[in-house]
Amino acid sequence: MKFGVVVFPGSNCDHDAWYAVRENLGEEAEFIWHDSRRLGAVDAVILPGGFAYGDYLRCGAIAKFSPVMEAVKRFAADGGLVLGICNGFQILVEAGLLPGALVRNAGLKFVCREVLLRTETAESPFTGAAAAGQVLRIPVAHGEGCYVADERTLDELEAEGRVVFRYIDNPNGSVRDIAGVLNAARNVIGMMPHPERASDPLMGSTDGLLIFRSMVSALAHA
Amino acid sequence: MKARVYVSLKSTVLDPQGQTIRAALNSHGYRDISDVRQGKYFEIALDPATTREKAHQDIDTIARDVLTNPVIEEFRIEFLD
């Protein structure tokens, strides 16, 4: 399997994602520059963490106009797997590929620490290797990770089992403790925690690998 | 021609920065300040040849599609000749 890792000016977890896929997962990975209009022959796309375009205007607001995002939208519309991590999640909500928005943490502080996540559904290509209810230890690192959406959207997300991860101890004020959501077709996920930072044994937890492994298994059975 | 666009968080969205500023003002002795909401302000210059109608249309679209995220923000536009 080949993972494409999109690189925006200001991405800073692109190499971590690349490393996790190559070294920890043992699959192929290649970088895709933000002004590329094509993704190339990739099986899945990762929008990595960082501060694309310096987070100017709003997090993800400028990145959504990148040429590569048109290609990402087409890829997602065709059923391709898209994983948005942290800033990647912010870009996906700005681009309208996922509902809701991410705003300044309730406590105003940049939070950088390990958190515990409850896997709310195993029925997704990103959590197929997990058990529903399984608790994962994965770090967060963000200043604007407070997930918000209107009540109707939240009810819809819950009813359709699209809240994929919830914080056990909410670090940022996200409504209903939401840490990650799926789109309606379940092939696009956005999450604030960083699975690529919990993939190498050296980092203290390899729970993040479960997400990448789920993707590989979903692609193998597609 | 110039346009001024004021962007603010919807009243339903928590504004922790505004709250922190309000608390700081209160503790500074300004006890009458009951609420502060923080927003953004854009000053946009248009080519003098732009028609009024086109300017209004373009700035409205720009405010809607680029300057704000409709999920969390709202805006107000002012034009100066």
Side-chain angles (χ1 to χ4, degrees), chain B residues 30-66:
Chain B
Y30 298 104
R31 303 198 192 286
D32 300 340
I33 306 294
S34 60
D35 193 25
V36 176
R37 304 282 292 173
Q38 181 175 323
K40 290 177 195 159
Y41 165 67
F42 300 87
E43 216 170 72
I44 304 172
L46 291 113
D47 189 303
T50 319
T51 65
R52 212 182 170 76
E53 195 189 15
K54 184 167 184 334
H56 280 241
Q57 221 169 43
D58 285 357
I59 297 296
D60 189 73
T61 309
I62 289 167
R64 205 172 296 279
D65 296 348
V66 183

Side-chain angles (χ1 to χ4, degrees), chain A residues 57-58 61 64-65 94 100-106 108 148-149, chain B residues 9 13-14 16-17 20 40 42 65-69 71-73:
Chain A
L57 191 58
R58 294 179 306 279
K64 78 171 164 185
F65 295 114
E94 276 286 341
L102 292 146
V103 298
R104 188 62 64 97
N105 292 349
L108 286 175
V148 294
Chain B
L9 283 172
V13 177
L14 184 73
Q17 293 183 97
T20 305
K40 290 177 195 159
F42 300 87
D65 296 348
V66 183
L67 301 183
T68 62
N69 177 342
V71 177
I72 47 169
E73 295 168 320

Side-chain angles (χ1 to χ4, degrees), chain A residues 155-177:
Chain A
D155 291 341
E156 196 179 291
L157 287 173
E158 307 246 21
E160 294 174 2
R162 289 164 54 196
V163 173
V164 64
F165 294 116
R166 245 187 262 270
Y167 300 110
I168 286 177
D169 183 12
N170 192 337
N172 54 31
S174 290
V175 289
R176 304 191 192 183
D177 303 325

Side-chain angles (χ1 to χ4, degrees), chain A residues 12-21 24 31 196-197 199 212:
Chain A
N12 65 9
C13 300
D14 41 349
H15 284 262
D16 305 48
W18 187 90
Y19 180 93
V21 169
N24 304 133
F31 293 117
E196 82 284 9
R197 294 192 193 180
S199 292
F212 298 113

Side-chain angles (χ1 to χ4, degrees), chain A residues 88-172:
Chain A
F89 186 11
Q90 294 166 338
I91 294 167
L92 289 173
V93 292
E94 276 286 341
L97 286 171
L98 290 173
L102 292 146
V103 298
R104 188 62 64 97
N105 292 349
L108 286 175
K109 277 190 184 148
F110 188 98
V111 183
C112 182
R113 62 176 164 88
E114 268 189 347
V115 295
L116 296 178
L117 300 175
R118 192 169 55 243
T119 311
E120 296 288 357
T121 176
E123 284 170 33
S124 87
F126 308 95
T127 51
Q134 188 171 344
V135 174
L136 307 181
R137 192 156 51 90
I138 296 181
V140 292
H142 58 248
E144 289 167 81
C146 175
Y147 185 77
V148 294
D150 60 49
E151 288 296 311
R152 217 187 69 192
T153 305
L154 293 168
D155 291 341
E156 196 179 291
L157 287 173
E158 307 246 21
E160 294 174 2
R162 289 164 54 196
V163 173
V164 64
F165 294 116
R166 245 187 262 270
Y167 300 110
I168 286 177
D169 183 12
N170 192 337
N172 54 31

Side-chain angles (χ1 to χ4, degrees), chain A residues 60-81:
Chain A
I62 309 290
K64 78 171 164 185
F65 295 114
S66 306
V68 76
M69 284 309 293
E70 288 306 314
V72 170
K73 281 183 190 172
R74 283 196 303 273
F75 183 75
D78 290 341
L81 299 188

